[in-house]
Amino acid sequence: MEPIKTIKSTCVPLPAENVDTDQIIPARFLKATTREGFGDNLFRDWRYSNNGDPVPGFVLNQPGVKGSILIAGKNFGCGSSREHAAWALYDHGFKVVVSSFFADIFSNNALNNGLLAVQLPEEYIQRLFIALDQNPSLEATVDLPTQQFSMEGIEEPASFEINKHKKSCLLQGFDDIDYLLSHKEQIKSYEATRTTV
Amino acid sequence: MTGKTLFDKVWDQHVVSEITDGPSVLYIDRHFIHEVTSPQAFDGLRNRGIGVFRPKQTIATADHNVPTIDQHLPIRDKLSRFQVQKLTENCQEFGVELYGLGHKYQGIVHVIGPELGITQPGMTIVCGDSHTSTHGAFGAVAFGIGTSEVEQVLATQCVLQRKPKKMKIEVNGQLGRGVLSKDIILYIASKISTSGATGHFIEYTGTTIKELSMEARMTICNMSIEMGARGGMIAPDNATFEYLKGRQFAPQGEDWHLAKQSWEQLYSDENAEFDVVHKFEAEDIAPMITYGTNPGMGMKINGTVPESSENIKALAYMGLTAGQQLLGKEVNHVFIGSCTNSRIEDLRLVASLVKGRQKAPNVQAMVIPGSKQVEKQARLEGLDKILEEAGFQLRQPGCSACLGMNDDKVPSGEYCVSTSNRNYEGRQGPGARTILASPLTAAATAITGRITDVREII
C-alpha cells in the first residue's frame, strides 16, 4: 500500500445519497480474480447506457470535471461488502472520498486500500457542492497529518476524524495484516485460554 | 454496575487485545468464504509467503456465481467457471474444506452454515458478504467483511475491528394473518431507513421475535445490513437449541450439554444499556412491499407510494408515481430464493399456498432452494411436485437472481416481485425493477399475475 500524506486535486462532485456498492460496481463485473481493472466499470450503469455509450449527464463524463477527490452525498457505500467498490474507485484514480456519512464496511474497505474516506459535516459538504457547481476547477487539499480538509473558495478548512492506528498505517503505507501478523504469539496465547472453538 | 448486552458478552469474550484509540483484535471462531470475495485474499497470502493460520475454522462454498440449472455440466460462462475453479484450487492448496458444486452440502453460504450446525451461539462469525448478519439469529456476533479482512482472518484468525454501538429493536404482540418475518424486517427498515442503524449492532427482542422459528429469525437478522447495521442478533433460547441439536457439526453427547449450559448465559442483562432503542407493535405490521430503490423504501401492500423529494430518482427508475397504489399491478417475474428466504420453511409456505393452483400465464416464477439439503428435503416432502404442477420452476441452489451476477437476471424495465434483500437499481440485472416482499406475497403474486395481498386468497 502506498503511503498517504497530502493530496491536492480538483474534485468530482456526486451529490446522490445512499450510493450503494452495486452502483459503484455492479455484480456482473465481479468475476475477476485480481484487484486491478475495476475502474473501467466504476459506476457502470450510471456512466454508460445499455449499449455502452457514455451518458452525457453523468459527472464522470462531463468535460472539465476530473480529479482524485470524490465528494459524495450521505451514506456512501451502503449495501454489499464487495471490496471491489473501493478497488474500482482507486483504480479509476480516486485517492479520497468525502461524504457526511459512510457505510461501515465500505469505510473499512476503503482505508484498507489506501483510499482515504473523509467524513465532514453535511452542511459543509453542501457548501462544497454549491462552490463546485459554480466552478468545477476549484482545488481541494486533504492533509492527513493535520487531519484537515480545505478547498479554494471556501474560507475555513474542516477537520476530520480518523483513529490513530489507521492514521499511522496510512502515513507509513502499512496494512492491518502486517499489524496482526506481528501479534501471532498473543493470538496463540488467547487460543490457549479457550476451552472450545 | 451496568449489565452487559448479549452483544457485549460475545464480543468481549473474543477480544485478543485492544489498540488505544483504535480497533480491537477480534478472534474469529468461524469464517465462511465463497468464490467472489476470496481469490484476491488467497493471492495476498501467496505474496506474503504464508499459509492459512487455522484452516479448520474456514469453510468454503460456491454460491454467488453458479448457474441454477445443469450444475453437473461445466459452467458455460468462462469468467464464472474460472472464478469457481480458482476457489477449488485455493481450497486445495491451503487445506480449506470446500462444499463446491456437486457436493451434498453446497448452497448459499448463509443457509449452509446454520443447517449444518457450523453456526452456533456465542461464536464470532465472518464472511466476505454483507448478509453474514444472518448467523446472528443464533446469538452469534456475525458480520460481513471486505476481502482485505478475509485475508486478515485467513492469515491470523483475527480481524481488526472497532466495537460498534448497540441498538435494541423490540417487537411485541401477535402477528396478523399472512404476515411473515420478512414483513417485520421490511416494516422496520421502512421506519428507520436504509442508514438508520449504521455504526450499530442490533439485538432483536420482544414477544413477537421470541415466537419466531429459527428460519424466520434468520430472515430478520439477514436484513440488518439493509438498515446499515454492522449485524443483528437474537438471544438463543429453546428454539435455537432444538434447531441445532443433532446437526452434523453441532456438539454431540456430553459436549452438547456443556455447550448448551454456556449458551444459556447468552442474553442481555436486565440493566444492560443500549445506545438506541426502537419499539414496534406486531399489530401495526401488514404484508409489506417496496416501491423504491433501497430496502428502506417499503410500504404496506395496500398502501400508496409516498410523496417525497427523496423518492424522485427512485420512482423514475421504478416507473412509478407518488400516490399510486401497487396492488393489482401486473408483474412478469417472481423470484423466490436468496439467503433471506430460501430455507425449507420458506418453500413449505410457498407450496402450501400454491397447492392446487396455477401460476398466471404472464409470470415466470422461479424457486431457488438455498442449499442441496433444502432441495433434497423439498423433494422428500413432495414440494417439488406441488411447485411444478403450479407452474413454478424449482431450480438448483445458489444466489441466483438476487444479485445479477450469474445467468439468472430480470430483463431491463420489467418488474420482479422478489423474496431477496435488495431492490437497488440494476441489482437483478441492468434496468431491472425489483419489488421486495415475503415468500407468501411473492407466491400469491405469481398465482394472480398481479401484486396481490395474500390475505385475500388465504
Side-chain angles (χ1 to χ4, degrees):
Chain A
M1 213 165 69
E2 282 191 35
I4 305 177
K5 209 174 161 213
T6 306
I7 291 148
K8 193 170 190 232
S9 164
T10 49
C11 304
V12 177
L14 183 69
E17 294 178 358
N18 301 317
V19 174
D20 59 79
T21 54
D22 273 82
Q23 306 315 315
I24 299 173
I25 180 96
R28 63 187 188 278
F29 300 113
L30 307 185
K31 297 182 182 188
T33 56
T34 61
R35 290 173 188 242
E36 291 79 31
F38 291 104
D40 292 345
N41 293 310
L42 176 68
F43 294 116
R44 172 72 200 207
D45 294 336
W46 287 355
R47 198 169 148 199
Y48 300 103
S49 65
N50 281 351
N51 59 16
D53 296 333
V55 174
F58 187 65
V59 66
L60 293 185
N61 298 326
Q62 286 168 0
V65 180
K66 57 181 191 309
S68 58
I69 300 175
L70 178 69
I71 302 181
K74 69 179 173 196
N75 195 25
F76 187 81
C78 60
S80 157
S81 64
R82 60 190 69 167
E83 195 161 312
H84 311 66
W87 298 336
L89 288 161
Y90 196 84
D91 193 56
H92 181 81
F94 288 114
K95 300 274 187 282
V96 179
V97 188
V98 178
S99 175
S100 64
F101 193 80
F102 289 98
D104 296 323
I105 306 178
F106 175 81
S107 166
N108 284 354
N109 287 344
L111 294 172
N112 282 335
N113 286 279
L115 176 67
L116 195 55
V118 170
Q119 192 170 336
L120 297 178
E122 177 64 22
E123 174 271 332
Y124 190 83
I125 289 182
Q126 290 307 324
R127 283 164 64 198
L128 303 181
F129 284 141
I130 293 166
L132 287 168
D133 193 42
Q134 287 162 0
N135 181 2
S137 61
L138 295 174
E139 274 199 344
T141 304
V142 179
D143 190 58
L144 182 57
T146 59
Q147 297 175 220
Q148 292 271 307
F149 175 97
S150 57
M151 195 170 86
E152 291 173 344
I154 303 278
E155 272 185 23
E156 68 276 35
S159 59
F160 58 90
E161 293 289 318
I162 182 165
N163 74 69
K164 263 189 215 159
H165 165 80
K166 212 66 224 185
K167 181 176 173 180
S168 94
C169 284
L170 289 168
L171 286 169
Q172 295 171 78
F174 283 172
D175 65 27
D176 285 345
I177 301 172
D178 297 328
Y179 178 86
L180 285 170
L181 285 170
S182 71
H183 285 66
K184 267 273 181 73
E185 289 311 310
Q186 209 178 347
I187 295 167
K188 285 182 190 166
S189 310
Y190 169 83
E191 285 180 323
T193 66
R194 289 172 52 88
T195 45
T196 51
V197 169
Chain B
M1 202 181 86
T2 314
K4 282 188 162 195
T5 65
L6 166 65
F7 171 75
D8 288 327
K9 288 181 183 177
V10 181
W11 177 280
D12 293 352
Q13 274 175 15
H14 289 84
V15 173
V16 176
S17 68
E18 280 172 291
I19 305 171
T20 315
D21 189 27
S24 302
V25 176
L26 189 73
Y27 191 81
I28 299 303
D29 293 323
R30 294 289 180 272
H31 180 208
F32 294 102
I33 59 170
H34 61 84
E35 72 277 21
V36 180
T37 58
S38 68
Q40 295 87 351
F42 282 111
D43 278 347
L45 297 184
R46 269 185 215 103
N47 292 340
R48 289 169 202 268
I50 57 175
V52 174
F53 180 52
R54 295 289 181 243
K56 287 195 165 37
Q57 287 167 240
T58 293
I59 301 94
T61 193
D63 56 4
H64 281 63
N65 207 354
V66 301
T68 56
I69 46 168
D70 295 335
Q71 287 186 346
H72 61 290
L73 299 176
I75 300 175
R76 281 184 306 165
D77 179 82
K78 195 176 143 200
L79 289 173
S80 302
R81 187 171 70 243
F82 182 73
Q83 197 175 50
V84 172
Q85 178 60 31
K86 196 85 192 157
L87 178 71
T88 308
E89 290 167 13
N90 283 332
C91 288
Q92 276 168 359
E93 181 181 338
F94 288 91
V96 170
E97 182 83 54
L98 168 67
Y99 303 141
L101 272 190
H103 193 285
K104 64 178 178 177
Y105 293 159
Q106 180 266 339
I108 304 175
V109 62
H110 311 308
V111 175
I112 68 168
E115 78 181 1
L116 291 170
I118 297 170
T119 300
Q120 293 168 24
M123 283 183 164
T124 46
I125 298 174
V126 295
C127 173
D129 187 284
S130 61
H131 293 110
T132 309
S133 56
T134 313
H135 307 261
F138 292 78
V141 165
F143 54 91
I145 56 175
T147 299
S148 294
E149 294 166 319
V150 170
E151 190 179 337
Q152 291 176 25
V153 181
L154 291 173
T156 67
Q157 205 55 39
C158 289
V159 69
L160 274 179
Q161 209 71 199
R162 284 168 81 85
K163 191 174 182 179
K165 292 182 189 159
K166 289 157 285 185
M167 178 183 284
K168 177 158 85 168
I169 294 183
E170 208 176 305
V171 188
N172 290 304
Q174 190 81 36
L175 285 174
R177 204 168 54 98
V179 180
L180 301 182
S181 70
K182 180 64 165 286
D183 301 307
I184 301 178
I185 196 65
L186 285 174
Y187 176 80
I188 297 172
S190 77
K191 293 291 173 194
I192 74 171
S193 93
T194 188
S195 60
T198 303
H200 291 77
F201 214 98
I202 301 171
E203 179 180 345
Y204 301 95
T205 183
T207 57
T208 317
I209 303 291
K210 288 181 182 150
E211 295 274 303
L212 295 174
S213 69
M214 290 314 293
E215 283 88 349
R217 293 179 191 186
M218 283 188 249
T219 301
I220 296 216
C221 290
N222 172 275
M223 289 190 68
S224 303
I225 181 72
E226 308 314 336
M227 302 171 290
R230 205 68 191 81
M233 65 198 303
I234 295 171
D237 59 13
N238 273 333
T240 321
F241 310 143
E242 284 305 310
Y243 179 97
L244 281 174
K245 199 171 183 184
R247 296 202 178 250
Q248 285 88 331
F249 296 98
Q252 313 285 337
E254 184 54 23
D255 287 346
W256 169 261
H257 294 289
L258 288 171
K260 188 163 164 264
Q261 270 173 19
S262 74
W263 296 343
E264 282 166 349
Q265 310 308 312
L266 298 172
Y267 52 84
S268 287
D269 296 330
E270 287 224 348
N271 56 347
E273 282 179 11
F274 291 84
D275 298 282
V276 182
V277 177
H278 292 288
K279 282 190 184 184
F280 300 102
E281 297 299 326
E283 63 180 27
D284 295 337
I285 306 174
M288 296 285 294
I289 48 168
T290 60
Y291 55 83
T293 54
N294 74 53
M297 293 176 165
M299 64 179 192
K300 290 182 179 175
I301 189 148
N302 50 10
T304 52
V305 175
E307 199 155 345
S308 156
S309 59
E310 290 176 15
N311 287 350
I312 296 166
K313 185 169 181 285
L315 295 186
Y317 180 85
M318 291 298 291
L320 301 173
T321 49
Q324 184 182 355
Q325 214 184 25
L326 296 193
L327 210 54
K329 186 176 180 58
E330 188 174 311
V331 297
N332 300 121
H333 303 270
V334 166
F335 169 62
I336 295 165
S338 87
C339 56
T340 314
N341 283 120
S342 64
R343 298 181 178 82
I344 189 67
E345 184 180 278
D346 300 311
L347 270 56
R348 284 180 191 140
L349 277 166
V350 170
S352 71
L353 187 90
V354 307
K355 189 173 185 180
R357 291 176 158 136
Q358 269 295 317
K359 74 162 181 74
N362 61 305
V363 172
Q364 278 196 338
M366 279 203 309
V367 180
I368 313 292
S371 70
K372 290 300 276 186
Q373 297 217 100
V374 170
E375 183 188 4
K376 188 178 158 195
Q377 185 64 28
R379 292 186 189 284
L380 210 67
E381 295 178 20
L383 307 184
D384 55 330
K385 297 273 184 323
I386 297 172
L387 291 169
E388 276 155 23
E389 279 167 20
F392 287 60
Q393 200 184 4
L394 179 67
R395 298 172 69 127
Q396 291 172 301
C399 297
S400 186
C402 174
L403 85 164
M405 175 163 196
N406 48 69
D407 296 340
D408 302 347
K409 292 187 181 77
V410 175
S412 184
E414 298 194 17
Y415 292 95
C416 178
V417 170
S418 174
T419 68
S420 56
N421 40 57
R422 288 185 174 138
N423 50 350
Y424 298 148
E425 289 182 28
R427 173 72 180 184
Q428 296 193 290
R433 292 163 164 170
T434 304
I435 294 167
L436 301 176
S438 80
L440 279 180
T441 299
T445 299
I447 296 297
T448 64
R450 296 168 182 281
I451 293 177
T452 298
D453 187 337
V454 67
R455 294 170 297 190
E456 287 171 11
I457 66 166
I458 50 173

